Amino acid sequence: MRIRPYVEFAKRAFSREGTYRTQVFTHIGSVLLRVFLLSMVWTALYRNNGEQAGITLPAMITYATLALLLDLIYGVNGAYVIREKIREGSIAIDLMRPISVPFYVLADTVGQTLFASMQIIPALGLSLFIVHLDAPATLGAAFAFLVAVLLGFVVNFFLDLIMATITFWTMEIFGVQLMVQFISSLLSGSLVPLYFFPPGIIQQLAFASPFAAIYNAPLSIYIGKVTGLQIVTTLGTQVVWAFVFGVVALGLWRLGERQVVIQGG
Amino acid sequence: MIIRAEHLTKTFRTRRRGDGVMGTLTSLFSRAYDDKLAVRDVSFDLEPGELVGYIGPNGAGKSTTIKMLTGILVPTSGECSVNGIVPWQNRTQNGKQIGVVFGQRTQLYWDLPLKESFELLRAIYGIPADVYERNMAEFTKVLALDEFIRTPVRQLSLGQRMRGDFAAALLHNPPVVFLDEPTIGLDVVAKEAIREFIARTNRERGTTFILTTHDLNDVEKLCDRIIIIDHGQKLYDGRIEAIKRRYGRQRILVAEIDGFCADCEIPIPGVRKLSQAGARVSFEFDRERVSADELIVALAKQYELKDVTISEPELEAIIREIYLKGLGVDAPVAEALT
Ligand SMILES: Nc1ncnc2c1ncn2[C@@H]1O[C@H](COP(=O)(O)OP(=O)(O)OP(=O)(O)O)[C@@H](O)[C@H]1O
Ligand SMILES: [Mg+2]
């Protein structure tokens, strides 16, 4: 596979995002607002209930703030355009080109995500005026955190791609989409750390679920809930999920491509 | 042989949907399907350098055929190949050697200036620098692209966009190009420019074209051969001349006669008087039975002729008859010509 076209796709996606300037400000503004509100909520909850599951209040606020910052990059749903393209038939144009459409979408998502990552810097800087953030436990943890974010991105991308590819079979995917989004936001640890789930089978399932690879893995490493050798197994689990989702997504895509129905003349 | 289709068949299977809320709900769980046979058992071959018109009424299956040849639809049965490659099995390989223009939708990148769309295509197809430069120079000149090459595609007029689309389709020197209604919505001048571009590319580069259109002037000006399909089935495959000869036997002769003639009848078998308006009299004649010469001589014997014109049957009139009645009946084109 030639890499050049995909580099170009990523570059164009990056500069395309740059043209929506007002969107950048509203994005950052909404993150800051949520950082403020969530820090209030967690502070109140901690005041009434005391420390939970071995996570101190400052660690919790760090967790919640970083989760909101990660939303900026995980929230890029580059695969979503596929659904529109299938729905109105312009997928035909992409399919007649000598490119792999999933990798085209990946490149486009990477470009968008790189642009979104740049928003993280001002968003992080401004958040520091609102809340106090703990530094990562060790330098190693900081590095592992970045790797885990990258792996989380891959898992998240393939999940989005799977959802978009289902459009090949059924256009009425909205309900399924909402359900997956709900389950994902619950089990990924983006809203509430999985450590707060009642210990037992549910918590075990949450930790074992692929969604945990998206938010829970990097954030647990950052706040030091996962240390030492556990970091390696956490990253390893992410790699496994990235691989499984990747295989499923590309397999589904191949199947879908074979029985594609192009809409419209 | 550069394109071949053998017993090509495509059935669309759609889930049957009920009406109203209940209908929608039950259709979610039912396994009821409607099968739509869009293309049935179509076979044809194209030689390199041919420019073939692929025509048929709305819903005939033209676009579906083209989608199978471009590899974006998998045939339900039958086979096809382009330059030896089976399009759907090897979509990417096939993509490199074909160009496509869909009149209904653009392949240019909506947000980007035209020029950048070309740059992106250059990367996608891995077009060598010299080929790219040469083609850009030629297309810019022939299609007059420089007026709007820096304009974002979404701001282009339909005619400008179409010129951009043609350049985009041919940038990588594809030996085979599919055109699905490339002149739709264009004004007379723009249509002529596009036709000229197609003819020129076919002539100078030996590019093979399949052209789908509802404007039979496109076909008449560009193609020697047409394939007609209707209801997914091939009705005709051959030269335009032949179809004109076969289905357009009737010609019209209009004579301007000096002086009064109350009842200008010509008693020759195969000739029929159609109408008379003052000194202008129209005759319809069967060119298999009477030659134009004979008719004029016969007329000149009886009357003083001031002027004579003979009109060819128009392809459009013939095709209309074929769409309406199929190939069985001999098309009475005379009606359409008066
Ligand atoms: N995605 C689809 N699902 C179901 N039926 C389809 C689909 N696409 C096309 N058809 C049906 O297949 C038949 C052929 O359609 P096609 O688009 O090939 O016609 P066409 O010859 O290109 O017509 P037109 O001149 O109007 O563009 C039509 O009856 C159409 O309704
Ligand atoms: Mg069509």
Side-chain angles (χ1 to χ4, degrees):
Chain A
M1 196 170 77
R2 289 174 310 116
I3 202 80
R4 181 69 208 295
Y6 304 97
V7 174
E8 289 299 317
F9 289 135
K11 278 205 246 170
R12 314 269 150 164
F14 186 90
S15 51
R16 185 183 67 226
E17 289 306 296
T19 56
Y20 305 116
R21 290 219 188 88
T22 45
Q23 206 174 315
V24 172
F25 294 117
T26 51
H27 257 165
I28 295 178
S30 100
V31 169
L32 293 176
L33 183 66
R34 280 180 291 161
V35 165
F36 175 71
L37 291 176
L38 271 185
S39 71
M40 303 285 279
V41 169
W42 285 115
T43 309
L45 281 173
Y46 266 71
R47 192 178 303 132
N48 294 331
N49 302 310
E51 189 173 307
Q52 297 291 315
I55 298 176
T56 62
L57 179 60
M60 186 56 234
I61 287 178
T62 304
Y63 184 105
T65 306
L66 289 182
L68 289 171
L69 292 176
L70 283 183
D71 274 346
L72 274 177
I73 56 175
Y74 291 158
V76 171
N77 189 343
Y80 194 83
V81 293
I82 289 195
R83 192 169 317 164
E84 284 311 305
K85 284 172 182 245
I86 294 174
R87 202 192 294 275
E88 45 114 18
S90 61
I91 192 79
I93 301 288
D94 299 292
L95 286 173
M96 72 182 207
R97 300 215 189 283
I99 51 164
S100 150
V101 177
F103 283 99
Y104 151 61
V105 176
L106 176 61
D108 196 271
T109 309
V110 168
Q112 289 186 55
T113 305
L114 285 177
F115 186 82
S117 318
M118 301 209 329
Q119 302 171 30
I120 287 196
I121 299 162
L124 178 66
L126 293 170
S127 298
L128 288 174
F129 288 104
I130 303 172
V131 291
H132 166 83
L133 293 183
D134 284 350
T138 60
L139 202 64
F143 181 70
F145 166 74
L146 291 179
V147 175
V149 169
L150 197 67
L151 289 168
F153 163 80
V154 177
V155 173
N156 188 51
F157 169 77
F158 282 129
L159 181 64
D160 286 342
L161 186 60
I162 289 170
M163 296 307 297
T165 306
I166 294 175
T167 321
F168 274 132
W169 288 273
T170 169
M171 306 267 170
E172 304 107 15
I173 189 191
F174 190 64
V176 186
Q177 169 77 14
L178 273 185
M179 207 155 71
V180 171
Q181 246 168 29
F182 177 70
I183 294 174
S184 168
S185 66
L186 214 62
L187 296 187
S188 68
S190 76
L191 278 176
V192 181
L194 302 183
Y195 305 97
F196 290 178
F197 281 31
I201 185 79
I202 303 222
Q203 194 181 37
Q204 296 298 317
L205 278 177
F207 277 116
S209 90
F211 303 107
I214 303 173
Y215 286 89
N216 176 64
L219 294 176
S220 298
I221 293 172
Y222 187 97
I223 64 167
K225 280 297 272 185
V226 165
T227 51
L229 207 60
Q230 280 180 310
I231 292 184
V232 180
T233 51
T234 302
L235 294 179
T237 314
Q238 280 186 295
V239 170
V240 169
W241 281 125
F243 184 77
V244 170
F245 273 28
V247 168
V248 171
L250 295 180
L252 266 185
W253 178 268
R254 268 197 97 76
L255 280 179
E257 201 180 13
R258 282 290 144 88
Q259 67 115 59
V260 55
V261 173
I262 306 286
Q263 306 296 314
Chain B
M1 209 172 324
I2 196 159
I3 299 177
R4 72 183 306 165
E6 259 180 286
H7 308 293
L8 206 52
T9 299
K10 179 72 193 180
T11 309
F12 286 110
R13 167 160 285 199
T14 46
R15 185 173 289 168
R16 193 174 297 162
R17 302 185 69 144
D19 296 328
V21 178
M22 275 318 284
T24 308
L25 281 180
T26 47
S27 69
L28 277 180
F29 301 101
S30 87
R31 295 272 112 192
Y33 289 106
D34 285 322
D35 280 344
K36 166 89 206 170
L37 202 47
V39 172
R40 62 177 97 176
D41 202 19
V42 166
S43 305
F44 55 81
D45 289 328
L46 257 69
E47 295 300 328
E50 274 196 285
L51 202 175
V52 176
Y54 194 59
I55 63 174
N58 289 130
K62 305 180 295 294
S63 297
T64 306
T65 311
I66 289 195
K67 284 170 188 164
M68 287 191 278
L69 291 173
T70 50
I72 59 185
L73 280 184
V74 182
T76 311
S77 66
E79 282 162 26
C80 58
S81 68
V82 176
N83 227 350
I85 292 176
V86 178
W88 63 272
Q89 282 176 352
N90 217 330
R91 187 176 58 70
T92 350
Q93 247 353 75
N94 191 50
K96 282 188 194 144
Q97 54 164 12
I98 60 167
V100 187
V101 174
F102 292 113
Q104 318 261 22
R105 56 172 55 113
T106 182
Q107 60 171 301
L108 303 166
Y109 293 83
W110 208 240
D111 295 319
L112 299 177
L114 194 53
K115 179 76 184 160
E116 286 206 38
S117 273
F118 295 144
E119 291 284 343
L120 194 50
L121 289 172
R122 172 188 187 172
I124 291 174
Y125 289 95
I127 306 172
D130 55 332
V131 174
Y132 180 78
E133 297 302 333
R134 203 171 334 118
N135 281 345
M136 274 320 294
E138 181 183 338
F139 298 157
T140 308
K141 196 169 101 223
V142 179
L143 294 167
L145 299 177
D146 36 33
E147 300 163 39
F148 49 86
I149 199 151
R150 311 241 158 247
T151 314
V153 172
R154 71 186 121 78
Q155 291 171 14
L156 297 181
S157 81
L158 183 62
Q160 294 171 332
R161 204 209 75 200
M162 204 66 93
R163 283 186 269 163
D165 260 298
F166 264 88
L170 287 158
L171 209 52
H172 56 290
N173 285 347
V176 177
V177 174
F178 300 98
L179 306 172
D180 195 351
E181 301 192 39
T183 54
I184 192 168
L186 298 186
D187 71 37
V188 199
V189 180
K191 269 188 188 176
E192 205 46 57
I194 290 291
R195 283 178 197 141
E196 180 50 42
F197 184 71
I198 299 171
R200 180 193 160 98
T201 310
N202 174 251
R203 196 173 57 234
E204 291 182 1
R205 303 182 172 216
T207 309
T208 309
F209 283 94
I210 289 191
L211 164 69
T212 280
T213 181
H214 290 295
D215 185 341
L216 291 167
N217 288 321
D218 292 346
V219 175
E220 201 152 21
K221 293 198 170 134
L222 290 169
C223 312
D224 291 329
R225 174 182 167 196
I226 53 174
I227 297 173
I228 305 178
I229 67 163
D230 193 7
H231 294 105
Q233 275 174 307
K234 189 169 92 171
L235 289 185
Y236 179 83
D237 181 353
R239 303 179 67 76
I240 295 185
E241 272 316 307
I243 205 170
K244 277 189 177 170
R245 259 205 313 282
R246 198 159 136 216
Y247 300 100
R249 281 168 46 178
Q250 309 289 351
R251 289 182 169 195
I252 306 286
L253 180 141
V254 181
E256 208 162 310
I257 291 166
D258 200 19
F260 183 75
C261 82
D263 194 16
C264 319
E265 282 295 344
I266 295 287
I268 303 178
V271 179
R272 190 164 70 89
K273 193 175 101 178
L274 285 175
S275 64
Q276 179 169 4
R280 285 168 64 89
V281 194
S282 318
F283 299 94
E284 177 192 75
F285 66 101
D286 180 341
R287 70 175 186 188
E288 303 271 285
R289 291 159 76 191
V290 192
S291 76
D293 254 14
E294 286 173 90
L295 181 56
I296 293 170
V297 169
L299 272 169
K301 262 190 203 147
Q302 282 176 266
Y303 310 104
E304 192 79 10
L305 292 179
K306 274 173 71 186
D307 192 20
V308 173
T309 50
I310 299 172
S311 42
E312 279 281 330
E314 278 181 53
L315 184 60
E316 185 153 341
I318 299 169
I319 299 295
R320 183 177 332 130
E321 287 300 320
I322 294 177
Y323 288 176
L324 287 174
K325 302 194 177 130
L327 281 179
V329 276
D330 203 5
V333 292
E335 249 172 59
L337 288 169
T338 49

